[in-house]
């Protein structure tokens, strides 16, 4: 690949590499065996993020996928039905884990990553009829990945969770990008997390850490999650290296997410003006841009290939859908360059 500039990687906000300061924090981490409760920074991270989310306790996990899978194991039983948004991460990006690990079936409702309480009400199977699976959990994804980083409106979150509680359903927030939702909405993470029994957040997306997620909830739920983490093989030892990176990300990379959002917005506005691009700017609320290539235009796979030749990396979601994500490791200038390169390829 010979390009005028180093590759601009917009495939995901997971591609970030630790900054020199984050690496220094990791190198200096005083680590211990987390299975003996002796990793000081993991303990600090768990306490701090639990407090930030307004929950009793937190539990560090290696990945967001494991956090979601553990949450399902804790909140459901095999055969249960779980209500999720359309194209939820748990159903689309966890390689069938929800069925394999928890034996649940997922029911997708709503549109573009969001749904309202009325849609949940309609989706809950009647109780007391022996043929139906029990609906026991509702999951919300905020921000919603495949719908373009949409923020789930908080007043609807409150209504959905109140209905769930009144109908005996548990509530789970897949908040891998809750940091982005908070910056975009101006609401604190604790407010966004308040209606839920269990909440997952990631440190390896916008915050720029090399790995790690966290589940927060009541003492009892976190005790159950701790057992499930061990059962799934996710209990690790000197996790303080990851905790140091996460704490650094929380302290230094949270407010700057607004820059990622502004960059995504500029990129989306440039592309949306092209007749081959179908892009609803109302969906561009955070750091993810999902757009469709109209019939007759270049297809997604070809666009991905050609843009890679020009040093711009994006993802194809399907034959006509492309995703680009802004993050810590791409500047405003790089995002502008990437947008110009894609526009050139669109002709
Ligand atoms: C990325 C992501 C996860 C978890 O991802 P990992 O790659 O396993 O850390 C979970 N939910 C959503 C919405 C995500 O975008």
């Amino acid at each position: 690949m010979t390009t005028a500039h180093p590759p601009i990687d917009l495939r995901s906000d997971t591609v970030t590499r630790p900054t020199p300061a984050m690496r220094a924090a990791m190198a200096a981490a005083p680590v211990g065996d987390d299975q003996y409760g002796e990793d000081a920074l993991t303990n600090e991270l768990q306490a701090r993020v639990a407090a930030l989310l307004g929950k009793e306790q937190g539990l560090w996990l290696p990945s967001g996928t494991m956090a979601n899978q553990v949450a399902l194991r804790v909140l459901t039983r095999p055969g249960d039905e779980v209500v999720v948004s359309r194209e939820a991460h748990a159903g689309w990006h966890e390689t069938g884990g929800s069925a394999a690990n928890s034996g649940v079936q997922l029911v997708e409702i709503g549109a573009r990553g969001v749904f309202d309480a009325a849609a949940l009400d309609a989706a809950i199977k009647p109780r007391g009829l022996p043929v139906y699976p029990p609906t026991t959990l509702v999951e919300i994804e905020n921000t919603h990945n495949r719908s373009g980083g949409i923020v789930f409106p908080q007043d609807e979150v409150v209504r959905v969770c109140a209905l769930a509680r009144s109908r005996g359903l548990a509530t789970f927030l897949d908040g891998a990008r809750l940091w982005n939702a908070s910056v975009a909405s101006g609401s604190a993470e604790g407010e966004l997390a308040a209606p839920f029994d269990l909440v997952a957040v990631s440190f390896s997306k916008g915050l720029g850490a090399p790995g790690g997620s966290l589940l927060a909830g009541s003492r009892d739920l976190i005790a159950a999650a701790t057992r499930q983490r061990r059962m799934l093989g996710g209990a690790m030892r000197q996790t303080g290296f990851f905790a140091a990176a996460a704490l650094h990300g929380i302290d230094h990379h949270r407010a700057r997410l607004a820059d990622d959002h502004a960059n995504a917005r500029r990129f989306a506005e440039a592309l949306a003006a092209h007749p081959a691009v179908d892009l609803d700017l109302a969906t561009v609320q955070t750091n993810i841009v999902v757009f469709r290539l109209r019939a007759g235009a270049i297809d997604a796979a070809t666009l991905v290939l050609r843009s890679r030749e020009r040093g711009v990396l994006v993802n194809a979601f399907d034959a006509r859908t492309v995703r680009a994500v802004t993050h810590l490791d791409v500047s405003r200038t790089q995002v502008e360059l990437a947008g110009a390169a894609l526009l050139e390829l669109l002709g």
Side-chain angles (χ1 to χ4, degrees), residues 63-66 68 89 94 141 143 145 174 176-177 202 204-205 213:
S63 74
T65 297
M66 188 177 280
N68 284 354
H89 194 278
E94 298 180 18
E141 190 175 311
T143 67
N145 183 347
D174 176 358
R177 293 190 181 84
S202 285
S204 58
K205 305 258 164 102
S213 278

Side-chain angles (χ1 to χ4, degrees), residues 109-244:
I109 62 170
R112 294 169 151 189
V114 301
F115 54 85
D116 59 16
L120 171 62
D121 193 34
I124 298 172
K125 297 274 197 297
R127 292 275 166 96
L129 284 166
V131 294
Y132 291 132
T135 310
T136 56
L137 173 66
V138 60
E139 179 191 309
I140 279 176
E141 190 175 311
N142 196 10
T143 67
H144 195 279
N145 183 347
R146 290 184 62 93
S147 300
I150 281 182
V151 179
F152 207 109
Q154 191 62 15
D155 51 354
E156 206 54 53
V157 169
V158 169
R159 280 193 285 272
V160 163
C161 290
L163 173 72
R165 196 141 294 126
S166 77
R167 302 287 294 273
L169 274 64
T171 52
F172 172 57
L173 171 61
D174 176 358
R177 293 190 181 84
L178 195 68
W179 318 107
N180 298 84
S182 172
V183 165
S185 67
S187 303
E189 289 87 353
E191 188 189 336
L192 302 180
F196 295 92
D197 297 322
L198 212 46
V199 179
V201 292
S202 285
F203 307 117
S204 58
K205 305 258 164 102
L207 297 188
S213 278
L214 184 138
L215 274 176
S218 68
R219 225 169 285 284
D220 286 350
L221 288 180
I222 294 305
T226 305
R227 176 173 181 230
Q228 294 301 332
R229 179 183 71 173
R230 178 78 188 174
M231 201 181 286
L232 291 176
M236 289 171 64
R237 304 295 176 172
Q238 284 74 30
T239 50
F241 295 115
F242 286 104

